[in-house]
Amino acid sequence: MGKVFKIILGTFITVVILMVVTFINWEYIYGDNRPIANAKAIYQIEFKDKDIAETSDVDNRILYVVPKGHLDTYIKMMRIKGYELTERDPKHNTLLLKKGNNYTEINYKKFARKYTIIDSPFLKEV
Protein backbone atom coordinates (compact mmCIF):
# COMPACT_ATOMS: atom_id res chain seq x y z
CA MET A 1 0.00 0.00 0.00
CA GLY A 2 2.95 2.32 0.49
CA LYS A 3 3.92 2.31 -3.23
CA VAL A 4 0.37 2.96 -4.43
CA PHE A 5 0.00 5.83 -1.97
CA LYS A 6 3.30 7.37 -3.12
CA ILE A 7 2.29 7.10 -6.78
CA ILE A 8 -1.11 8.71 -6.14
CA LEU A 9 0.44 11.46 -4.01
CA GLY A 10 3.14 12.11 -6.63
CA THR A 11 0.53 12.31 -9.39
CA PHE A 12 -1.61 14.67 -7.32
CA ILE A 13 1.33 16.97 -6.56
CA THR A 14 2.36 16.99 -10.25
CA VAL A 15 -1.16 17.94 -11.34
CA VAL A 16 -1.36 20.72 -8.75
CA ILE A 17 2.03 22.11 -9.84
CA LEU A 18 0.98 22.05 -13.52
CA MET A 19 -2.27 23.83 -12.67
CA VAL A 20 -0.42 26.52 -10.72
CA VAL A 21 2.10 27.06 -13.54
CA THR A 22 -0.74 27.27 -16.08
CA PHE A 23 -2.65 29.73 -13.89
CA ILE A 24 0.40 31.96 -13.43
CA ASN A 25 1.25 31.93 -17.15
CA TRP A 26 -2.35 32.03 -18.40
CA GLU A 27 -1.97 35.13 -20.56
CA TYR A 28 1.33 33.96 -22.05
CA ILE A 29 -0.05 30.51 -22.91
CA TYR A 30 -3.49 31.48 -24.22
CA GLY A 31 -3.13 35.17 -25.10
CA ASP A 32 -6.48 36.90 -25.46
CA ASN A 33 -8.33 33.66 -26.15
CA ARG A 34 -10.74 31.92 -23.86
CA PRO A 35 -9.91 28.26 -24.39
CA ILE A 36 -13.12 26.87 -22.89
CA ALA A 37 -15.31 29.22 -24.97
CA ASN A 38 -13.36 28.29 -28.10
CA ALA A 39 -13.73 24.59 -27.30
CA LYS A 40 -17.51 25.10 -27.00
CA ALA A 41 -17.53 26.83 -30.40
CA ILE A 42 -15.60 23.97 -32.00
CA TYR A 43 -17.97 21.49 -30.35
CA GLN A 44 -20.93 23.29 -31.94
CA ILE A 45 -19.31 23.12 -35.37
CA GLU A 46 -18.16 19.51 -35.15
CA PHE A 47 -20.96 17.78 -33.26
CA LYS A 48 -24.01 20.01 -33.62
CA ASP A 49 -23.39 20.58 -37.36
CA LYS A 50 -23.46 24.37 -37.19
CA ASP A 51 -21.76 26.32 -39.97
CA ILE A 52 -20.62 29.14 -37.68
CA ALA A 53 -20.18 29.43 -33.92
CA GLU A 54 -19.91 32.51 -31.74
CA THR A 55 -17.31 32.93 -29.01
CA SER A 56 -15.58 35.86 -27.31
CA ASP A 57 -12.16 36.91 -26.09
CA VAL A 58 -11.06 38.35 -22.75
CA ASP A 59 -12.12 41.86 -23.85
CA ASN A 60 -15.66 40.59 -24.64
CA ARG A 61 -15.23 41.18 -28.37
CA ILE A 62 -17.34 38.82 -30.41
CA LEU A 63 -15.39 36.23 -32.38
CA TYR A 64 -16.78 33.75 -34.86
CA VAL A 65 -15.32 30.35 -35.60
CA VAL A 66 -15.87 28.78 -39.02
CA PRO A 67 -14.29 25.79 -40.72
CA LYS A 68 -11.12 26.72 -42.59
CA GLY A 69 -11.92 28.36 -45.92
CA HIS A 70 -15.65 28.87 -45.21
CA LEU A 71 -15.74 32.64 -44.82
CA ASP A 72 -18.84 32.72 -47.02
CA THR A 73 -20.93 31.66 -44.03
CA TYR A 74 -19.85 34.77 -42.12
CA ILE A 75 -20.35 36.97 -45.19
CA LYS A 76 -23.92 35.65 -45.61
CA MET A 77 -24.63 36.31 -41.92
CA MET A 78 -23.37 39.90 -42.25
CA ARG A 79 -25.39 40.38 -45.45
CA ILE A 80 -28.52 39.49 -43.45
CA LYS A 81 -27.53 42.18 -40.91
CA GLY A 82 -27.35 44.74 -43.73
CA TYR A 83 -23.64 44.72 -44.54
CA GLU A 84 -22.25 44.31 -48.04
CA LEU A 85 -18.83 42.86 -48.86
CA THR A 86 -16.81 45.44 -50.80
CA GLU A 87 -13.30 43.98 -50.67
CA ARG A 88 -11.68 40.69 -49.71
CA ASP A 89 -7.92 40.73 -49.12
CA PRO A 90 -6.56 37.21 -48.52
CA LYS A 91 -2.98 38.51 -48.39
CA HIS A 92 -3.72 40.56 -45.26
CA ASN A 93 -6.59 38.36 -44.00
CA THR A 94 -9.18 41.14 -44.03
CA LEU A 95 -12.71 41.68 -45.25
CA LEU A 96 -14.06 45.17 -45.90
CA LEU A 97 -17.79 45.47 -45.29
CA LYS A 98 -20.04 48.44 -45.98
CA LYS A 99 -23.31 49.43 -44.33
CA GLY A 100 -24.70 52.70 -45.54
CA ASN A 101 -21.78 55.12 -45.68
CA ASN A 102 -19.75 53.30 -43.02
CA TYR A 103 -16.97 50.86 -43.78
CA THR A 104 -15.93 48.15 -41.34
CA GLU A 105 -12.74 46.12 -41.61
CA ILE A 106 -12.94 42.56 -40.33
CA ASN A 107 -9.77 40.57 -39.58
CA TYR A 108 -9.56 36.80 -39.59
CA LYS A 109 -6.82 34.31 -38.87
CA LYS A 110 -6.13 30.61 -38.89
CA PHE A 111 -7.23 28.92 -35.69
CA ALA A 112 -6.02 25.47 -34.76
CA ARG A 113 -5.59 23.41 -37.90
CA LYS A 114 -9.09 23.18 -39.32
CA TYR A 115 -10.71 26.48 -38.38
CA THR A 116 -10.69 30.18 -39.03
CA ILE A 117 -11.45 32.66 -36.26
CA ILE A 118 -13.04 35.94 -37.35
CA ASP A 119 -12.43 39.00 -35.21
CA SER A 120 -15.60 41.07 -35.18
CA PRO A 121 -15.37 44.74 -34.18
CA PHE A 122 -18.58 44.47 -32.18
CA LEU A 123 -18.66 44.00 -28.42
CA LYS A 124 -20.64 41.26 -26.73
CA GLU A 125 -23.33 42.46 -24.36
CA VAL A 126 -22.45 41.43 -20.82
Side-chain angles (χ1 to χ4, degrees):
M1 181 136 167
K3 281 186 174 182
V4 173
F5 180 72
K6 287 180 183 178
I7 291 172
I8 291 172
L9 183 64
T11 304
F12 178 74
I13 291 172
T14 303
V15 168
V16 168
I17 289 172
L18 288 174
M19 290 175 67
V20 168
V21 168
T22 302
F23 183 73
I24 291 171
N25 295 314
W26 181 268
E27 190 172 329
Y28 179 75
I29 294 170
Y30 296 108
D32 290 341
N33 290 326
R34 289 184 173 162
I36 295 173
N38 291 341
K40 286 180 182 178
I42 291 172
Y43 172 79
Q44 289 178 356
I45 291 172
E46 289 295 325
F47 297 107
K48 292 194 173 183
D49 294 328
K50 289 191 174 186
D51 295 327
I52 189 168
E54 184 178 311
T55 184
S56 64
D57 64 1
V58 295
D59 296 327
N60 286 329
R61 289 183 308 170
I62 297 174
L63 304 172
Y64 293 98
V65 178
V66 295
K68 185 178 178 181
H70 290 94
L71 291 173
D72 296 335
T73 306
Y74 178 75
I75 294 168
K76 287 177 187 175
M77 181 187 76
M78 294 306 286
R79 190 175 300 136
I80 291 171
K81 292 182 179 182
Y83 289 87
E84 178 184 339
L85 178 67
T86 58
E87 185 179 336
R88 187 175 189 169
D89 186 3
K91 184 177 180 182
H92 296 105
N93 294 338
T94 59
L95 302 171
L96 188 63
L97 301 173
K98 178 182 177 185
K99 183 175 185 179
N101 292 331
N102 298 324
Y103 288 90
T104 305
E105 186 175 78
I106 308 292
N107 298 315
Y108 60 91
K109 62 183 174 183
K110 183 177 162 185
F111 179 69
R113 188 177 296 164
K114 298 174 17 179
Y115 306 101
T116 300
I117 193 159
I118 302 167
D119 186 14
S120 179
F122 311 111
L123 292 176
K124 188 170 188 164
E125 298 294 325
V126 179

